[in-house]
Amino acid sequence: MSQSVSRALSILIALGESSQSLDELAVRLGVHKSTVLRLLQTMQADRFVVRDNAHRYSLGTRMFELASRALENRDVRTVARPHLSALGAATGQTVHLAAYESGDAVYIDKVDAEQAVRMYSRIGRPAPLHCTAVGKVLVAALPRGEWAAVAARLDYHPFTARTLRTPEQYLAELKLVAAQGFAEDHEEHESFVNCIGVGVRDGIGAVVAAVSVSVPDVLLDHDQVLALLPQLRATADAISTELGWDPGRDVTARKG
């Protein structure tokens, strides 16, 4: 890498941490102020940096434009795929990715388990909102003012004896999901399957998808499925990070 490019990138990294004076940047780069000034003037002309009245430099609007375009071009399914595959390989279980589209949770990707057990889920098929982990995660991520409307329109089809049957039960479940930061399908959709799901966030913190692990009870019991939660969270965090989210900057990021 050319020396000038390397120094310019170092300046941008420094300004990403906080505003800096010319003297501070020169000390940080270990070069003469005149060298840093030439680079700053070039970047300022193209709006990569801006100088305030106190002669301190900060990132300019061009940086935010480029960052926004980069994030917009990150397709969640493409970004998530290697992480889903890695989670499937590590656990040996079925992994799903779902998104909220036109009022439905829809499976947009799936990694099948090593031991194939026939499940309802297929890519492109809707996931019932009231009895799937991904459905609960995606609805819990909506503004709370929208929960009641969603709860009121569901038909609460009783897939199993454990399926939630009323809007009141569903709203209570959404509150639990939002509080604990993950959702369960404890044999609510299919009588032999336990599932856990968590949200995937984009660069502004919005939940744009849900990732889940689904396991037939002949392979793992309910408690053993819950024990996979740290791996599931790590997978969701890794996808979110690639989408521009920083899971460590706000502990409330896991809520909902």
Side-chain angles (χ1 to χ4, degrees):
M1 185 184 297
S2 76
Q3 198 172 56
S4 293
V5 172
S6 178
R7 287 170 176 167
L9 291 175
S10 295
I11 288 172
L12 294 176
I13 292 170
L15 297 183
E17 297 171 1
S18 65
S19 64
Q20 307 269 329
S21 68
L22 176 60
D23 288 341
E24 289 169 336
L25 288 170
V27 169
R28 179 160 179 155
L29 270 64
V31 297
H32 194 273
K33 288 191 293 184
S34 61
T35 300
V36 178
L37 181 60
R38 285 195 297 271
L39 292 171
L40 286 169
Q41 288 172 333
T42 299
M43 290 189 287
Q44 187 176 0
D46 287 325
R47 296 188 291 111
F48 285 101
V49 302
V50 61
R51 188 181 69 170
D52 62 22
N53 292 333
H55 303 292
R56 296 184 67 81
Y57 292 87
S58 303
L59 294 179
T61 56
R62 179 62 63 84
M63 290 297 298
F64 299 110
E65 290 173 7
L66 292 177
S68 178
R69 290 174 188 171
L71 292 174
E72 287 173 358
N73 290 332
R74 300 291 280 171
D75 173 68
V76 64
R77 187 175 184 273
T78 301
V79 171
R81 184 64 190 185
H83 299 287
L84 303 181
S85 297
L87 180 61
T91 63
Q93 307 304 330
T94 300
V95 179
H96 296 103
L97 185 71
Y100 193 70
E101 300 177 357
S102 302
D104 288 316
V106 179
Y107 294 111
I108 59 175
D109 207 353
K110 178 181 181 182
V111 175
D112 286 310
E114 294 175 355
Q115 300 184 35
V117 177
R118 185 174 179 82
M119 293 185 185
Y120 163 89
S121 58
R122 297 286 186 278
I123 296 174
R125 179 176 285 183
L129 297 179
H130 67 299
C131 60
T132 61
V134 291
K136 294 174 185 178
V137 165
L138 293 169
V139 176
L142 298 174
R144 293 203 178 204
E146 297 181 18
W147 288 3
V150 174
R153 69 175 171 81
L154 300 182
D155 64 8
Y156 300 97
H157 179 79
F159 290 95
T160 76
R162 292 181 178 271
T163 305
L164 299 177
R165 305 296 179 91
T166 68
E168 292 75 21
Q169 289 178 321
Y170 187 55
L171 289 171
E173 183 78 356
L174 294 179
K175 289 180 182 178
L176 176 63
V177 172
Q180 66 188 10
F182 72 95
E184 287 190 68
D185 163 7
H186 186 10
E187 299 185 25
E188 298 168 44
H189 187 214
E190 296 175 279
S191 60
F192 60 93
V193 175
N194 286 297
C195 181
I196 51 175
V198 298
V200 171
R201 296 178 181 270
D202 64 11
I204 62 173
V207 172
V208 292
V211 61
S212 69
V213 176
S214 300
V215 189
D217 57 12
V218 296
L219 300 179
L220 297 177
D221 63 26
H222 178 246
D223 289 340
Q224 289 173 315
V225 174
L226 286 177
L228 299 175
L229 185 57
Q231 290 172 274
L232 181 62
R233 285 194 189 280
T235 297
D237 283 352
I239 300 168
S240 300
T241 298
E242 284 204 44
L243 292 173
W245 177 241
D246 179 4
R249 73 184 178 191
D250 185 353
V251 295
T252 63
R254 297 187 186 279
K255 306 302 184 183

